Amino acid sequence: MKGSSMNTHMGNIIIDNEVIAQYAGSVAVECFGIVGMAGVSVKDGLVRLLKMDSLTRGINISIEDNKLVLDFHVIVSYGVSIMAVSDNLIANVKYKVEEFTGLEIKKINIFVEGVRVID
């Protein structure tokens, strides 16, 4: 199990990275302008929209200096400002994940893998 741990006066708390990724993914898809998470095939370089039950494959979590680093691979809606969507995503995810886990976020990287037209 790969996860983040913190020590409290009652003992150790270990949060699996999959749990953090699942929560961060659900927060991300609620943000305006985000169509969904992107899955990139290493073999052929194709990008595809991930379904709700596999959001975690579009998110990579690592730990640097006891702080979380999150990498999001997203697909954005056509016609929106990528900068505005990114700022909104960073603010929402940073606030909600820090509140949920009690861990500090060092960095959030956003990789826009595609654009989709929403009906």
Side-chain angles (χ1 to χ4, degrees):
M1 178 171 99
K2 213 176 181 186
S4 305
S5 73
M6 63 182 109
N7 297 322
T8 67
H9 68 286
M10 302 280 285
N12 293 332
I13 300 172
I14 300 172
I15 304 172
D16 193 312
N17 285 348
E18 188 77 14
V19 173
I20 298 170
Q22 186 70 40
Y23 185 75
S26 65
V27 170
V29 295
E30 291 175 356
C31 293
F32 174 77
I34 300 291
V35 175
M37 305 308 293
V40 181
S41 172
V42 177
K43 182 175 68 173
D44 50 12
L46 292 176
V47 175
R48 63 186 174 86
L49 182 63
L50 296 173
K51 295 180 180 154
M52 289 300 284
D53 58 345
S54 58
L55 289 176
T56 58
R57 290 191 300 179
I59 302 171
N60 297 323
I61 296 180
S62 58
I63 300 170
E64 291 179 9
D65 305 325
N66 279 342
K67 297 177 185 173
L68 295 173
V69 176
L70 287 80
D71 295 337
F72 285 88
H73 297 269
V74 297
I75 296 176
V76 297
S77 179
Y78 178 79
V80 297
S81 166
I82 292 176
M83 187 59 117
V85 170
S86 297
D87 288 343
N88 184 28
L89 176 65
I90 290 169
N92 284 341
V93 168
K94 182 170 175 39
Y95 174 74
K96 289 184 178 178
V97 170
E98 285 182 346
E99 285 293 312
F100 178 68
T101 63
L103 300 168
E104 190 176 343
I105 294 178
K106 178 178 182 177
K107 192 171 18 173
I108 297 175
N109 300 312
I110 301 173
F111 301 93
V112 178
E113 303 288 352
V115 177
R116 291 270 168 100
V117 176
I118 302 296
D119 296 333

